[in-house]
Amino acid sequence: MASKFESCELPRLAELFYAETTSKLPEDKSKKTHKDGSIFSVHSFSSENEKIDCNVTKLQFEHCEEMLIKLNEMKRYRRIVGSVGMSCLKAATPLLVSKKESACLIALEIVEGGTTALAKVEEAYKCEKKTKEAINETLRLYFFQEGDDIADDGDENRLLPAINKIWPYLILCIKNKTSVV
């Protein structure tokens, strides 16, 4: 149940972080701002503008790094919540075929919580992926380099494999004609 509760917040937090990130990223690579907020063209050749441009660029780069660090922390937390949900599913799935109604009912509740958690984890992953792409695009446009790679280890698609493992037990649960089902 804890994984279900924690996972329900993940997509909302990921969406908020995406909105915050995209609002703070520079929009047009042909214009940058002075410290006083006035806009100047990147193609200005004044030595004063070049100093300010370097300072602004350095601050923007540091801001992108901070966002990537926060994104990595969100990823780590999301993976932990997903692992807890997956562990609950692995532990409760065999209990679905129990002849005892109480054990079957508890197992069904745990399975429901675990699958909800995995669905929310995947939803948060999709939003985090959009955020990562926005930050990397900014880094490519402004700084001509790639951002920290948030590796996609393939473990983000956990829901469908989990359902495939649960399905045979659900069929047996229904065949046992347990009144809970």
Side-chain angles (χ1 to χ4, degrees), residues 149-166:
D149 188 30
I150 301 175
D152 296 333
D153 300 333
D155 67 336
E156 307 311 333
N157 184 16
R158 299 185 209 182
L159 184 59
L160 186 59
I163 296 298
N164 284 335
K165 290 178 183 174
I166 294 168

Side-chain angles (χ1 to χ4, degrees), residues 85-98 103-104 106-108 110-112 114-115 161-173:
M86 200 61 179
S87 296
C88 291
L89 285 175
K90 286 179 182 177
T93 300
L95 293 173
L96 291 174
V97 295
S98 175
C104 186
I106 291 171
L108 283 169
I110 293 170
V111 166
E112 182 221 351
T115 54
I163 296 298
N164 284 335
K165 290 178 183 174
I166 294 168
W167 191 250
Y169 291 98
L170 286 173
I171 299 295
L172 288 173
C173 183

Side-chain angles (χ1 to χ4, degrees), residues 57-167:
T57 303
K58 183 179 177 185
L59 289 173
Q60 289 173 339
F61 183 75
E62 288 173 359
H63 182 67
C64 285
E65 282 183 328
E66 289 172 9
M67 287 187 289
L68 284 171
I69 289 169
K70 185 171 180 180
L71 191 62
N72 278 329
E73 289 172 3
M74 290 176 69
K75 173 188 174 186
R76 194 173 311 115
Y77 184 72
R78 176 182 43 78
R79 291 175 119 193
I80 289 168
V81 171
S83 293
V84 170
M86 200 61 179
S87 296
C88 291
L89 285 175
K90 286 179 182 177
T93 300
L95 293 173
L96 291 174
V97 295
S98 175
K99 297 283 186 191
K100 292 183 180 180
E101 286 184 21
S102 59
C104 186
L105 184 60
I106 291 171
L108 283 169
E109 190 173 334
I110 293 170
V111 166
E112 182 221 351
T115 54
T116 300
L118 291 181
K120 295 294 184 179
V121 163
E122 284 187 17
E123 188 178 335
Y125 166 73
K126 290 174 185 174
C127 190
E128 286 176 15
K129 191 173 179 179
K130 288 190 314 190
T131 305
K132 174 190 164 194
E133 290 169 359
I135 295 169
N136 280 340
E137 183 63 24
T138 299
L139 289 172
R140 271 192 295 281
L141 289 174
Y142 283 91
F143 310 109
F144 307 109
Q145 71 181 47
E146 293 293 319
D148 293 341
D149 188 30
I150 301 175
D152 296 333
D153 300 333
D155 67 336
E156 307 311 333
N157 184 16
R158 299 185 209 182
L159 184 59
L160 186 59
I163 296 298
N164 284 335
K165 290 178 183 174
I166 294 168
W167 191 250

Side-chain angles (χ1 to χ4, degrees), residues 28-47:
D28 183 13
K29 79 172 195 173
S30 65
K31 295 182 180 178
K32 303 227 178 177
T33 58
H34 288 287
K35 288 181 182 177
D36 64 1
S38 61
I39 297 176
F40 66 91
S41 172
V42 172
H43 303 293
S44 303
F45 294 105
S46 164
S47 107

